[in-house]
Amino acid sequence: TAGTSAVPIAVTYATARAERVSHLILMDGWAKFSEVEQSAVWQAEKALRDKDWVIYTETFARVLWGLQDQEFARQVAEYLRACVEADAFRAAFTAMEYYDVSAVLPKVAAPTLVVHNQKSPWAPAQAGQKLAARIANSRFLVVEDPTWAQLPALIDEFLSEGEEEGAGAQPAPAGA
């Protein structure tokens, strides 16, 4: 399962190591950064990226991730600062600006579910739709679920689809 900025990484892995990926689930994804770079949230993130690390992480949690519970947002920002150094985080976000997995999308072999939040601040639904259209065995699903509360059930349903088809099959009789 990969969300927003991890989608190009997951797609790259799924094509490079296809034998290790049985299913792929992509959330609020995009194939190349130019599809999302003009969104207000990416523009705000970029404007704050090289500023004060505490202000950046607090804004990232509260505004850019949209965490409504202010205490929880403060804890997430604090956790982020404890887990990654500012320069490493900034470098990762700068690197995303060069992501483009358009050419490898047709090589994704695993059944793929592309789920996109209708009101994603990071990527418009059209970016997810384009992503799904380039992956042969994919399904595109738009949801209105900013907290991703529906996601576990959607994943369970997606993963169990193949099981249902094989559930009624009986082994062939010996010697047949």
Side-chain angles (χ1 to χ4, degrees), residues 5 9 15 22 38 42-43 45 47 53 59-60 72 75-76 79 84 95 103 111-112 123 130 145 173:
S5 58
I9 296 165
T15 58
S22 66
Q38 294 306 315
W42 278 107
Q43 291 297 310
E45 184 282 326
W53 181 230
T59 303
F60 197 86
F72 181 62
Q75 291 172 356
V76 167
Y79 180 74
V84 65
T112 303
K130 286 180 186 178
D145 183 15

Side-chain angles (χ1 to χ4, degrees), residues 58 61-62 67-78:
E58 296 287 333
R62 286 185 172 88
L67 298 178
Q68 300 298 315
D69 180 327
Q70 294 302 305
E71 178 56 23
F72 181 62
R74 185 194 61 72
Q75 291 172 356
V76 167
E78 192 174 282

Side-chain angles (χ1 to χ4, degrees), residues 11-133:
V11 166
T12 301
Y13 183 84
T15 58
R17 303 296 295 252
E19 74 282 358
R20 301 194 78 182
V21 180
S22 66
H23 293 77
L24 187 59
I25 300 151
L26 307 173
M27 305 172 326
D28 286 352
W30 43 274
K32 54 186 171 183
F33 189 71
S34 63
E35 296 172 345
V36 297
E37 70 182 324
Q38 294 306 315
S39 75
V41 73
W42 278 107
Q43 291 297 310
E45 184 282 326
K46 189 172 184 172
L48 291 170
R49 188 180 302 159
D50 295 324
K51 307 297 185 243
D52 180 87
W53 181 230
V54 173
I55 292 172
Y56 175 86
T57 56
E58 296 287 333
T59 303
F60 197 86
R62 286 185 172 88
V63 179
L64 304 180
W65 273 354
L67 298 178
Q68 300 298 315
D69 180 327
Q70 294 302 305
E71 178 56 23
F72 181 62
R74 185 194 61 72
Q75 291 172 356
V76 167
E78 192 174 282
Y79 180 74
L80 182 59
R81 291 189 299 271
C83 290
V84 65
E85 292 181 15
D87 289 341
F89 192 85
R90 289 174 178 132
F93 266 72
T94 299
M96 279 186 255
E97 296 176 11
Y98 300 95
Y99 287 178
D100 182 352
V101 294
S102 303
V104 298
L105 291 175
K107 297 176 185 176
V108 173
T112 303
L113 176 63
V114 179
V115 183
H116 206 96
N117 265 313
Q118 177 107 8
K119 296 179 181 175
S120 168
W122 293 95
Q126 295 86 345
Q129 190 172 25
K130 286 180 186 178
L131 182 69

